[in-house]
Amino acid sequence: MNMEKPKVSVEEYLWVAHFYDRMMKHVNYGAWSKYVMRMFDLARRDIRDVADLSCGTGRHLHHFIKAGFHCLGADISMPMLRVACSRPTVKNRLWQQDARHPAIKENSMDAVIMLFDSVNYLRRENEIRQLFEKVDRILRPGGLFVFDTVTEYMIRLHMTEYFETETWDDLAYERRSAYNAKTRMQYNNFSILRQGQLIRERHSQRIWTHKEMTGFIEKSPLTLLDARADFKKKPVQPRTERIHYILLKPKT
Ligand SMILES: C[S@@+](CC[C@H](N)C(=O)[O-])C[C@H]1O[C@@H](n2cnc3c(N)ncnc32)[C@H](O)[C@@H]1O
């Protein structure tokens, strides 16, 4: 085994894609998707066409398609999309795209979603602003943009100095998390042992505050309809762990 020289991946999800679904086996994607679908009642139009701009391995997308929505799945990571391709429900609806400049027709979507920390991967203010502008273009008037972010409270509670490890027949991984409170950057450092090769992959996420996010939304063409805490209908509080933002493209 070559344990001396680890391969260092600079691309997020290049190797994690191989075990992402196994790592996330505790996540109830069906219930999460239904939680988001219920938000669609707030739209000012019927929702039929839905784009998931960070579909990853396609697990939310699967549930939206099963529920009868006409969906398109996009993600920046080709390895994640390759895994998504193995899901018969979603495989013919996938595109590799960067959510900061998606190549999707203007006024073609009734709803856009980006779920499970995906917006935390946009680490600079101008990337968030760019995202809101692009989503506004894609949406039809009266349509919705739903996304979530993790809060600093959640990171401090669960993901500061966090450590986990798992071993399967084909690979093993170790994940060490760290948080820099000054820069509000959270890091997930993966060491992956696969076919005798040690690979390292680092993920970094920006922990946006609710105040920052609402400030970005105020300056965007989209309108904030609601921000919901922890998979409920309740408002955001200091002990909220995850926030879902529901944005509307106003009818002019
Ligand atoms: C934590 S995963 C969530 C994936 C999926 N939404 C889920 O719920 O399992 C974050 C995803 O965001 C994607 N991502 C990060 N930056 C992106 C960007 N600029 N454009 C599109 N996708 C991006 C990653 O490739 C990854 O698949």
Side-chain angles (χ1 to χ4, degrees):
M1 288 204 288
N2 179 4
M3 299 290 285
E4 299 302 317
K5 287 186 197 156
K7 246 193 218 171
V8 180
S9 162
V10 286
E11 189 184 323
E12 288 166 330
Y13 291 99
L14 182 60
W15 296 97
V16 167
H18 293 276
F19 57 93
Y20 180 82
D21 284 349
R22 286 182 269 179
M23 186 170 70
M24 297 305 181
K25 63 179 183 296
H26 59 285
V27 178
N28 187 338
Y29 279 89
W32 193 334
S33 300
K34 277 193 189 136
Y35 175 68
V36 173
M37 286 175 209
R38 284 196 291 273
M39 295 173 185
F40 287 178
D41 291 343
L42 293 176
R44 309 282 154 83
R45 60 178 305 114
D46 287 341
I47 305 274
R48 188 188 89 105
D49 295 307
V50 178
D52 183 347
L53 292 189
S54 57
C55 69
T57 60
R59 295 187 62 188
H60 282 115
L61 202 59
H62 168 81
H63 289 286
F64 279 82
I65 291 168
K66 283 280 202 190
F69 293 101
H70 189 258
C71 297
L72 175 161
D75 199 281
I76 200 168
S77 163
M78 206 58 200
M80 291 292 265
L81 289 169
R82 264 188 218 113
V83 178
C85 266
S86 65
R87 291 207 149 78
T89 32
V90 310
K91 71 173 182 189
N92 294 323
R93 305 168 186 242
L94 303 170
W95 295 96
Q96 187 189 24
Q97 301 223 356
D98 184 335
R100 292 165 293 188
H101 35 82
I104 297 174
K105 232 169 104 181
E106 281 184 31
N107 285 306
S108 64
M109 292 291 148
D110 302 312
V112 171
I113 57 174
M114 280 185 81
L115 302 173
F116 207 169
D117 302 6
S118 303
V119 169
N120 293 104
Y121 278 84
L122 303 186
R123 292 160 283 231
R124 291 202 303 267
E125 186 178 329
N126 68 330
E127 293 177 305
I128 304 278
R129 290 189 194 284
Q130 199 179 343
L131 173 73
F132 290 161
E133 277 164 27
K134 294 293 161 67
V135 170
D136 178 65
R137 273 196 225 163
I138 295 170
L139 282 173
R140 297 185 177 120
L144 297 183
F145 178 30
V146 179
F147 67 93
D148 67 276
T149 56
V150 277
T151 64
E152 186 170 40
Y153 176 73
M154 186 273 198
I155 295 296
R156 285 184 185 274
L157 194 64
H158 303 296
M159 303 303 283
T160 306
E161 308 290 328
Y162 175 78
F163 173 78
E164 76 177 31
T165 176
E166 202 148 353
T167 307
W168 298 287
D169 286 345
D170 56 333
L171 65 83
Y173 81 90
E174 177 192 279
R175 167 177 169 181
R176 286 178 188 274
S177 302
Y179 181 56
N180 181 333
K182 225 173 169 182
T183 57
R184 272 189 280 116
M185 290 295 292
Q186 195 262 340
Y187 301 97
N188 287 302
N189 296 301
F190 291 92
S191 299
I192 303 152
L193 187 60
R194 189 169 181 259
Q195 293 165 356
Q197 176 78 56
L198 181 63
I199 303 147
R200 295 205 199 281
E201 187 173 304
R202 180 180 231 215
H203 293 207
S204 46
Q205 294 181 289
R206 178 80 184 264
I207 308 306
W208 298 104
T209 65
H210 182 48
K211 199 171 166 206
E212 282 170 333
M213 195 52 82
T214 49
F216 301 149
I217 297 167
E218 265 168 36
K219 287 182 190 151
S220 82
L222 300 163
T223 305
L224 179 64
L225 287 184
D226 205 0
R228 294 184 179 171
D230 297 332
F231 297 99
K232 307 235 164 55
K233 238 180 176 175
K234 63 181 187 186
V236 176
Q237 280 159 359
R239 289 177 170 226
T240 294
E241 296 188 27
R242 185 175 297 280
I243 306 173
H244 280 79
Y245 293 90
I246 312 169
L247 276 51
L248 173 80
K249 173 168 177 167
K251 287 188 172 174
T252 44

